[in-house]
Amino acid sequence: MSESGSVDWKVVEGVLPAGWRQMAAQRKLVRPNLPKHMGTVVTDIGQILRLVLYQVGRNVGLQTAAAAFAAAGLLEISSVALHKWMKKLGPYLAELVAAMVSGSHSVFAAERWAGYEIVAVDATCVQRPGAMGTTARVHRALRLVDLRVLKAVVTDQTGGETFRRFVPEAGQLWLGDRGYANPPGIAWVKDHKGEVLVRYNRGSLPLYDARGIEIDVLSRLAKLRKPGWSRQWQAFVHAAGNDRIEGRLCAVRLPADKAEQARERLRREQGTDLTQESLAMADFVVVFTTVPSSRLALEQVLEIYRVRWQIELDFKRDKSITGLDRLPNFLPNTIESWIYAKLLLHQVLRSLADQNVVIPPCASELADAICTGYGGKRAA
């Protein structure tokens, strides 16, 4: 932050992880010692990183970003060349994001959750400028301990939520909302030696007892007569082509005011399609997990699912601060870099906000500062 209260590129460089240039060199993204007569445009990763952060901060296309930097005398590069950079920057940007958030989310540390590495999955709607409704969906698997995006997949607006878009690993606990609660998805995670914790979905996740009889979940929940009461039951998932999968149905009754809020939300979302069974389910938080009780107690299972909402809030902050929900185009091979650049820009903004700035710059202000050297003024 300069004396005039402006943000410039040097300030942004100052909050990037130590060794960020070396990281790029190790990945062979730049060749700094190449003679000038060889015609290399980018000899410093800072040149292209600066341009990419400007592009995602302003939510503009490749041509607009390249033209702005050329007009500012910062870098002469074609939109085609910029597109090629976006196609290969994803892993490098992911490394920067991981370095910036490392250690800041110890609540998700594996040591606290019986050694499990917690991974949350979600799908976010995104739009091209001027589009009416959803242009595409970005499906993400996010490791909560360091907010590392393990994988990002782009589909059209009809792409559904499923664990099968990702590749789980042993020792991971995968969290999902109701959209991920179905037998094929749960079997996919188990086949890859992972574990599952999902919000129970009456319509897509039939559960069975040890005798193979389908469980009447509402009758089980009726035993939780007071707010705060919780209980768990053995339950099995039957997935086609797989052995039955053992797990637990875990539930807690909500306080009356929270239950009423849930019912009001259902009335708004489902209208005349709302059933009495759905209204009855609104009194509870019900989840299914394949983690045995010997590793995570009932209270821990319910706590982990509550923790999941913190990452939902973080996604919303990404959307409001850096425009994560908007795409300049629909090119799947550049979306990974776009998303990581957004996440990196978010971390830069957080770092600037920690440096005695009363009102930190928004993403667009910071993007202008990156391009011109001005922006993000402090409050008087």
Side-chain angles (χ1 to χ4, degrees), residues 116-380:
Y116 287 115
E117 178 181 87
I118 303 176
V119 180
V121 295
D122 194 17
T124 300
C125 296
V126 293
Q127 293 178 305
R128 283 194 298 259
M132 299 296 291
T134 300
T135 299
R137 284 193 176 92
V138 178
H139 306 259
R140 296 163 296 169
L142 195 73
R143 186 170 60 199
L144 299 191
V145 69
D146 57 5
L147 295 188
R148 173 76 179 269
V149 179
L150 300 182
K151 187 174 182 181
V153 180
V154 179
T155 68
D156 62 19
Q157 67 275 20
T158 63
E161 297 174 339
T162 172
F163 285 123
R164 289 177 291 177
R165 299 193 187 281
F166 312 104
V167 183
E169 296 180 1
Q172 292 178 336
L173 173 56
W174 286 67
L175 308 184
D177 61 16
R178 291 183 181 90
Y180 297 89
N182 56 75
I186 293 172
W188 175 263
V189 176
K190 290 293 293 182
D191 286 345
H192 287 80
K193 311 303 181 184
E195 303 293 351
V196 170
L197 173 55
V198 290
R199 187 76 178 259
Y200 172 68
N201 188 328
R202 263 187 332 112
S204 63
L205 186 62
L207 297 176
Y208 301 86
D209 63 19
R211 299 169 296 171
I213 300 174
E214 185 169 355
I215 295 172
D216 184 347
V217 174
L218 275 174
S219 68
R220 301 282 180 95
L221 297 179
K223 298 176 182 179
L224 304 178
R225 290 185 288 274
K226 294 183 179 181
W229 280 18
S230 60
R231 192 168 174 180
Q232 61 185 353
W233 300 269
Q234 183 186 50
F236 294 86
V237 171
H238 294 179
N242 291 77
D243 295 334
R244 67 178 188 175
I245 299 169
E246 184 176 0
R248 288 180 286 161
L249 181 69
C250 304
V252 60
R253 179 179 278 275
L254 292 170
D257 58 333
K258 298 298 182 183
E260 183 56 33
Q261 290 176 13
R263 284 190 288 270
E264 286 298 322
R265 184 168 59 252
L266 286 173
R267 293 185 183 104
R268 290 194 303 269
E269 294 174 353
Q270 300 185 18
T272 56
D273 294 329
L274 182 61
T275 65
Q276 290 300 314
E277 289 81 5
S278 294
L279 285 174
M281 288 290 297
D283 282 328
F284 309 91
V285 171
V286 187
V287 300
F288 172 81
T289 184
T290 59
V291 177
S293 57
S294 59
R295 292 197 64 177
L296 288 175
L298 170 62
E299 293 76 15
Q300 290 176 295
V301 169
L302 296 172
E303 184 181 359
I304 290 178
Y305 195 78
R306 287 196 295 270
V307 167
R308 179 188 172 276
W309 289 107
Q310 296 303 313
I311 204 62
E312 292 287 345
L313 295 176
D314 200 66
F315 290 164
K316 291 178 180 179
R317 285 192 293 269
D318 278 352
K319 290 182 178 181
S320 63
I321 294 174
T322 60
L324 182 64
D325 56 336
R326 289 174 286 172
L327 296 176
N329 53 53
F330 187 27
L331 300 172
N333 55 359
T334 64
I335 291 302
E336 182 184 26
S337 294
W338 175 267
I339 293 172
Y340 278 125
K342 287 284 190 181
L343 294 173
L344 178 60
L345 188 61
H346 191 191
Q347 293 302 318
V348 169
L349 288 165
R350 282 179 168 179
S351 296
L352 291 175
D354 290 338
Q355 296 183 355
N356 300 318
V357 182
V358 178
I359 302 178
C362 66
S364 60
E365 289 174 338
L366 181 57
D368 288 340
I370 287 170
C371 185
T372 66
Y374 296 93
K377 293 183 178 180
R378 282 185 294 202

Side-chain angles (χ1 to χ4, degrees), residues 77-115:
I77 188 172
S78 69
S79 59
V80 174
L82 177 55
H83 180 223
K84 290 180 178 179
W85 273 101
M86 289 293 284
K87 289 168 67 175
K88 63 184 179 181
L89 275 179
Y92 171 64
L93 294 171
E95 188 176 7
L96 294 184
V97 172
M100 290 196 72
V101 302
S102 179
S104 61
H105 292 268
S106 59
V107 67
F108 302 114
E111 293 79 5
R112 180 173 178 179
W113 307 110

Side-chain angles (χ1 to χ4, degrees), residues 12-28:
V12 175
E13 286 186 346
V15 299
L16 291 175
W20 59 276
R21 282 191 169 90
Q22 289 78 0
M23 294 178 191
Q26 290 170 357
R27 293 179 177 275
K28 299 181 179 180

